[in-house]
Amino acid sequence: MPTINDVAKAAGVSPSTVSYVLSGRRPISAETRARVQAAIAELGFHPHAGARALASSKTNVIALVAPLRVDVNVPVIMQFATAVVTAARSYNHDVLLLTKDEGTAGVERVAHSTMVDALILMDLERDDLRIPALRRLKQPSVLIGLPADHTGIACVDLDFGAAARAALDHLAGHGHRRIGLVGPSPAVYKRQTTYADRFLTGFLEASVDLGLQTVTHPCEPGAEGVRSCMADLDAELAGLTALVVHNEEALRPLLDLLHATGRRVPEDVSIVAICPRDVATAMPVNLTSIDIPAHDVGTLAVETVMRLLDGRRVEYTRLLEPSLVERDSCREISASHR
């Protein structure tokens, strides 16, 4: 029977290249892949999948742990999941999606069952209780988020602190001095979810650096939550002229409320949203926004997993620079209105 060495010789490549074509563990050029596949077909080579799995102890499956808690935005989470699945397929890996909020027990159960080669975790908390368990696992882990202590575990995410600063820089550059933050739900802050904590810290620090008058409030989902949040913001900072909205689900009811109360966007209130691009452009007003780069973050998480599985070096903290796109929801105000 032909061997992998025979295939490599016929294709003019190394045996390891044949192995990578079969496993998908590393990207191979289309031309080389075609030569290897032609040699496999010509020689009638049939690798024994079971034997390969036993020899390598690999499953070609990545676990994506994304708890669907009541306070998460499921459509946004699914954008990250889609990016992870798509990137994993390019490496011939499947994804096991875990949505139940099981904490440490769920992570250990999946890892100890040897169902997966690696884990990607989302919705991290500042002092996440799962981190010590991840350090004990034989499988590598990558976090989409940045907990306080992630020593030895790779993290990828948007730089939410820089995103907050970019939003305030943009509004300050348009003359706004009184700015409110419509934040995530109180439950997100209570859990000390890392993206919310980092954004709030960046917002407060940038406010001081820029000499702005700002006020922040969490926002419960739904129209009533938005009404309550806006009432608090207006009561604490009279004459605010701009809002930063870090809550995708609040955007539509917020625009409806502003319209119903006669406050025009951007003539009376300017808005910078922190949300996926498709959300910003689907609103009644095309919103100036800082994108949540789900595709880039999810892809980078998978690439980092693959490097760890191959024993290659990785950067243990990768924060993507925010990108602000100006559309129709911000205007410059005169000095007399500041």
Side-chain angles (χ1 to χ4, degrees):
M1 294 180 63
T3 66
I4 195 170
N5 290 328
D6 296 326
V7 173
K9 184 177 180 180
V13 299
S14 67
S16 63
T17 299
V18 177
S19 177
Y20 290 139
V21 169
L22 292 170
S23 68
R25 287 282 299 280
R26 287 188 183 178
I28 300 295
S29 71
E31 179 184 354
T32 300
R33 182 182 296 276
R35 291 207 316 271
V36 171
Q37 291 172 337
I40 288 172
E42 181 180 348
L43 296 172
F45 175 65
H46 297 290
H48 191 284
R52 286 205 317 274
L54 287 172
S56 65
S57 299
K58 298 299 182 183
T59 64
N60 278 29
V61 176
I62 301 168
L64 174 60
V65 184
L68 297 185
R69 301 183 173 104
V70 293
D71 53 23
V72 303
N73 188 310
V74 175
V76 175
I77 292 291
M78 288 301 103
Q79 289 191 16
F80 283 94
T82 299
V84 169
V85 169
T86 302
R89 285 312 313 154
S90 71
Y91 290 94
N92 198 33
H93 276 62
D94 291 312
V95 174
L96 175 64
L97 179 60
L98 305 172
T99 60
K100 188 176 181 181
D101 186 8
E102 297 181 279
T104 299
V107 168
E108 292 178 334
R109 173 177 56 81
V110 172
H112 294 161
S113 69
T114 66
M115 291 191 294
V116 300
D117 296 335
L119 299 91
I120 297 174
L121 280 74
M122 296 185 61
D123 200 36
L124 277 297
E125 298 172 8
R126 187 177 66 188
D127 299 309
D128 204 294
L129 297 178
R130 297 171 293 180
I131 301 301
L134 294 177
R135 293 193 179 103
R136 295 192 296 267
L137 301 180
K138 65 178 182 179
Q139 297 98 328
S141 301
V142 173
L143 310 179
I144 297 179
L146 191 67
D149 179 11
H150 60 91
T151 306
I153 303 177
C155 299
V156 301
D157 206 355
L158 172 67
D159 189 336
F160 279 96
R165 179 172 291 275
L168 288 181
D169 277 340
H170 183 77
L171 290 170
H174 282 65
H176 296 277
R177 312 304 297 175
R178 298 181 180 90
I179 303 169
L181 170 62
V182 178
S185 73
V188 170
Y189 285 123
K190 184 177 181 180
R191 289 192 292 106
Q192 297 182 314
T193 307
T194 65
Y195 71 86
D197 267 13
R198 287 153 47 214
F199 190 91
L200 180 59
T201 298
F203 184 91
L204 296 175
E205 290 176 350
S207 298
V208 172
D209 293 343
L210 296 169
L212 303 175
Q213 293 179 267
T214 60
V215 62
T216 72
H217 267 283
C219 184
E220 294 278 11
E224 185 55 41
V226 169
R227 277 193 294 270
S228 177
C229 178
M230 281 304 301
D232 289 337
L233 292 174
D234 285 330
E236 293 184 30
L237 184 59
L240 65 81
T241 61
L243 295 169
V244 176
V245 184
H246 188 204
N247 185 328
E248 299 92 345
E249 292 182 299
L251 285 169
R252 185 57 186 258
L254 172 63
L255 291 173
D256 290 344
L257 174 65
L258 293 173
H259 177 75
T261 54
R263 298 168 79 172
R264 300 164 299 168
V265 178
E267 290 84 358
D268 302 314
V269 181
S270 291
I271 293 177
V272 175
I274 316 301
C275 66
R277 186 176 292 108
D278 62 313
V279 174
T281 57
M283 294 293 133
V285 178
N286 279 336
L287 298 176
T288 295
S289 71
I290 294 175
D291 186 32
I292 302 292
H295 176 270
D296 293 343
V297 172
T299 300
L300 181 57
V302 172
E303 291 173 352
T304 304
V305 161
M306 293 304 161
R307 292 184 67 88
L308 289 169
L309 289 173
D310 284 341
R312 291 181 284 165
R313 295 179 61 185
V314 301
E315 289 185 49
Y316 276 85
T317 302
R318 291 285 303 276
L319 298 180
L320 302 185
E321 286 296 314
S323 174
L324 185 147
V325 177
E326 185 162 13
R327 298 188 181 92
D328 303 329
S329 63
C330 291
R331 79 174 183 96
E332 189 161 351
I333 62 173
S334 63
S336 61
H337 289 85
R338 296 177 186 175

